[in-house]
Structure formats: structure tokens, C-alpha cells
Amino acid sequence: MVQYEIRVTGRVQGVGFRYYVQQQAKLLNVTGWVRNTFDGGVMVVAQGPEPAVKTLIDYLWVGPPLSLVKSVHHAELQAIETYTDFEVRY
């Protein structure tokens, strides 16, 4: 099990990006959360088997139809909390 913090920039707010991430994470059985950031980006914390989390990162580059992703930066974190679901945070 791995945990990554992922920051996504581009046109990712107001286009359904958080709900897209939640949907993809649930399909991959990845837990964690997603929220908008004050600088116009999106932050994701994803926890699960490494192949599933890496696949989620690939999906972040795609995004929903109205999005335009410019960058996806990720860093592995030491898991200090175990998530049981994937939620949209506000």
C-alpha cells in the first residue's frame, strides 16, 4: 500500500474535475480525498496498491472533457491515516 499527494494545475476547477477523480478512484479501489486549492488547482491524496494509484495519476492527466490539465506533480507520503473511502472535500 502506498500513499501519494498529488497536485494538479490547469483548468481543473468548475469542470467537474473533483467528481471525475472520485469516480476513477472508486473504480480503482483507491481511497483518500480530493479538494480544490486556493490557487485554482486541485489536490489529491490517494492511498492503495501502487499500480492502482499510478493508474489514477495517469487518469488525472486526462481529466473530464472540459478540463485542460497543465501539470500533475506527485510525491509519495508516509501513510499516517488509513482511509476507507474516497471523498470530495470542500
Side-chain angles (χ1 to χ4, degrees), residues 25-73:
K26 288 185 176 207
L27 288 172
L28 294 165
N29 292 317
V30 171
T31 58
W33 53 267
V34 58
R35 69 172 169 81
N36 286 341
T37 59
F38 292 112
D39 63 0
V42 170
M43 177 186 283
V44 179
V45 171
Q47 188 177 76
E50 189 164 11
V53 174
K54 295 280 186 168
T55 299
L56 179 63
I57 291 169
D58 290 341
Y59 282 130
L60 297 179
W61 277 105
V62 177
L66 296 176
S67 68
L68 179 61
V69 176
K70 292 195 176 193
S71 69
V72 177
H73 298 284

